[in-house]
Amino acid sequence: MPAKSRFTRLDAFTKTVDEARVRTTSGGIVTIASLLIVLYLALGEWRDYRRVVVHPELIVDKGRGEKMEIHLNISFPQIPCELLTLDVMDVSGEQQTGVMHGVNKVRLESLANGGGVIDVKSLDLHEGAPHLDPDYCGGCYGANPPANAQKAGCCNTCDEVREAYASVSWAFGRGENVEQCEREHYAERLDAQRNEGCRIEGGIRVNKVVGNFHIAPGRSFSNGNMHVHDLNNYFDTPVQGGHVFTHTIHSLRFGPQLPEEITAKMGKKGELPWTNHHLNPLDDTHQIANEPAYNFMYFVKVVSTSYLPLGWDSKSNSNPDDGILGKLGHGNDGSIETHQYSVTSHKRSLNGGDDAAEGHKEKLHARGGIPGVFFSYDISPMKVINREERTKSLTGFLTGLCAIIGGTLTVAAAVDRGVYEGATRLKKLQSKNL
């Protein structure tokens, strides 16, 4: 026998000699079954370790001086593109009137002709004046010449006269008795697309503060402290029944859309309510107006939402902002800064309600206003963070693996011992009976 060391008496794993071991058929079967169970459970533990889940957190939004993008796609089947204007304003005092950058006006055929797409731009009703005398300087009819005029101090086109009128808060109408507009046949061209529709699509970048954007008829301008629109061409129309603001919101979102592979990680649709920010509640909304003097108001509550991929590091995170629409919110490390929102809506006739209707006698009906579609958005002080995480750490995986092996072999040993003892006693009983 080998010499005993000082650690011999500390050995918790006592050994038996081979002559004292008994191998049985049942023991072999239990051993094979236990090994299969260990492999199956170990594979499940590995899959669980590799699984990535999205964990939601709610924190106070501490961002300051941030920007936000609004992406919209809205169709107006009974209003031509020339009459529609997109304006944006917020509580900081910033205004964007007649927004065109990043936004396309798509001309649509009349509903009677199927409502198909005509062109990706509104009909150009304002021809340039390349054929005019180089020394020609058109008058602005008492208004101030626009700063972006082709010729400084002059109004050589109908559009420049319209801008000059808007700068001094004058209504323009159809351009009667305006030389430039009569030369360009502005009124005739406007009437040529009266029965058309329009789809406004694209994106705008705004300050991340309380504000609103709206789509209303006519060119907008400020009259004192009031924001007004030139509605002459909207109400004065040869179209029977007039233009109405029946509209379909195909899509409206605040910030970038989450890719499908990310939303798939968050669970199936309807399983997790907090993941529904990629399902914009106003998508595929259809509203019908029965009269021209009608407006729709949507009150939107915007909640900042971040998606942080596995291995995200706040020190290396950067969101490039090169001024290109659609790139704001996409981080170089795969993170996404977007927004989810809830919405309530209201619609009313600008002529007031029917006081004779049931339940309306005790109500005070507001009258007046601007027809159109208005979106008023408010920013929530809270922020949702969706963070990718592994369900287990490496140490947790190793601990679970050891528990699987040890537990399975322990149970297998107890089963094998029970089978062996039972078989032995059965043999003894049979030998006594003989």
Side-chain angles (χ1 to χ4, degrees):
M1 295 181 62
K4 295 183 179 180
S5 69
R6 66 182 68 179
F7 296 105
T8 302
R9 56 184 176 180
L10 300 178
D11 185 6
F13 307 100
T14 55
K15 314 301 185 297
T16 57
V17 295
D18 291 338
E19 290 77 6
R21 295 178 181 176
V22 178
R23 299 183 185 275
T24 62
T25 302
S26 60
I29 295 174
V30 171
T31 300
I32 294 175
S34 62
L35 289 178
L36 293 176
I37 293 174
V38 167
L39 290 175
Y40 177 75
L41 295 179
L43 181 59
E45 188 74 9
W46 170 255
R47 288 178 177 175
D48 192 34
Y49 167 65
R50 298 295 300 172
R51 186 164 59 93
V52 177
V53 297
V54 180
H55 178 67
E57 303 173 16
L58 185 64
I59 64 171
V60 175
D61 189 0
K62 299 180 181 179
R64 293 179 296 176
E66 296 179 346
K67 294 286 186 178
M68 178 175 65
E69 288 185 356
I70 303 173
H71 299 267
L72 68 161
N73 189 331
I74 307 175
S75 293
F76 300 88
Q78 294 176 267
I79 305 178
C81 288
E82 177 62 22
L83 294 183
L84 293 177
T85 301
L86 172 62
D87 297 333
V88 184
M89 54 194 67
D90 58 44
V91 295
S92 69
E94 181 175 310
Q95 294 189 21
Q96 303 178 46
T97 58
V99 178
M100 294 300 296
H101 177 70
V103 176
N104 289 327
K105 291 182 178 180
V106 182
R107 291 173 56 205
L108 304 176
E109 294 178 341
S110 64
L111 292 177
N113 294 328
V117 175
I118 299 176
D119 195 359
V120 295
K121 292 184 179 179
S122 61
L123 180 62
D124 186 9
L125 304 185
H126 313 283
E127 291 182 344
H131 57 283
L132 297 177
D133 190 297
D135 296 329
Y136 173 79
C137 181
C140 297
Y141 300 87
N144 300 321
N148 59 345
Q150 296 178 2
K151 190 173 184 179
C154 303
C155 292
N156 288 354
T157 65
C158 183
D159 193 41
E160 290 177 355
V161 177
R162 292 186 68 197
E163 290 189 21
Y165 270 49
S167 67
V168 292
S169 304
W170 292 351
F172 182 76
R174 293 167 55 86
E176 291 89 347
N177 301 320
V178 176
E179 174 198 354
Q180 295 88 329
C181 296
E182 292 181 349
R183 182 184 65 235
E184 298 174 10
H185 305 287
Y186 170 76
E188 293 83 349
R189 290 170 177 248
L190 175 61
D191 290 339
Q193 60 162 309
R194 284 287 190 178
N195 293 318
E196 294 180 3
C198 186
R199 184 172 74 236
I200 296 181
E201 58 185 18
I204 52 179
R205 183 170 295 188
V206 300
N207 296 320
K208 193 177 174 181
V209 296
V210 177
N212 77 83
F213 65 95
H214 58 266
I215 301 171
R219 183 159 294 191
S220 60
F221 53 87
S222 298
N223 188 358
N225 293 327
M226 297 181 61
H227 178 81
V228 296
H229 285 251
D230 182 1
L231 303 177
N232 288 346
N233 288 333
Y234 176 73
F235 286 112
D236 184 13
T237 174
V239 177
Q240 186 176 3
H243 302 294
V244 293
F245 266 93
T246 296
H247 63 278
T248 300
I249 303 175
H250 304 290
S251 66
L252 178 68
R253 56 185 171 88
F254 294 77
Q257 181 84 359
L258 288 181
E260 289 298 328
E261 59 267 19
I262 293 179
T263 57
K265 296 178 181 178
M266 295 180 173
K268 297 180 181 179
K269 186 185 299 183
E271 284 186 355
L272 303 173
W274 55 267
T275 65
N276 286 344
H277 61 279
H278 64 286
L279 304 177
N280 305 308
L282 281 177
D283 286 3
D284 300 321
T285 299
H286 182 67
Q287 295 277 17
I288 299 176
N290 298 317
E291 57 179 301
Y294 211 86
N295 74 7
F296 298 86
M297 292 171 283
Y298 298 93
F299 303 94
V300 181
K301 192 74 171 182
V302 180
V303 181
S304 300
T305 304
S306 296
Y307 176 81
L308 307 180
L310 190 66
W312 177 83
D313 184 5
S314 60
K315 295 181 180 179
S316 62
N317 179 48
S318 62
N319 290 315
D321 182 11
D322 50 10
I324 300 177
L325 281 172
K327 289 192 174 182
L328 184 65
H330 292 275
N332 292 328
D333 54 2
S335 62
I336 297 178
E337 295 287 339
T338 185
H339 304 84
Q340 54 184 312
Y341 66 91
S342 61
V343 62
T344 57
S345 62
H346 178 70
K347 56 185 178 181
R348 69 180 181 92
S349 170
L350 303 183
N351 297 320
D354 183 6
D355 294 332
E358 182 180 357
H360 280 230
K361 293 182 179 180
E362 67 276 12
K363 295 182 180 179
L364 180 63
H365 298 285
R367 299 177 183 272
I370 300 175
V373 180
F374 296 77
F375 299 87
S376 178
Y377 55 89
D378 191 10
I379 309 299
S380 171
M382 308 305 293
K383 182 176 184 178
V384 176
I385 297 179
N386 297 325
R387 190 189 307 272
E388 279 190 356
E389 295 178 346
R390 291 200 183 277
T391 56
K392 287 187 177 182
S393 63
L394 179 60
T395 55
F397 166 71
L398 295 177
T399 301
L401 192 61
C402 292
I404 289 173
I405 296 173
T408 303
L409 294 182
T410 300
V411 172
V415 171
D416 177 62
R417 184 67 180 176
V419 172
Y420 176 72
E421 292 290 341
T424 303
R425 292 193 178 189
L426 186 60
K427 288 181 180 179
K428 290 182 178 180
L429 290 175
Q430 289 178 349
S431 61
K432 288 181 179 181
N433 293 332
L434 295 176

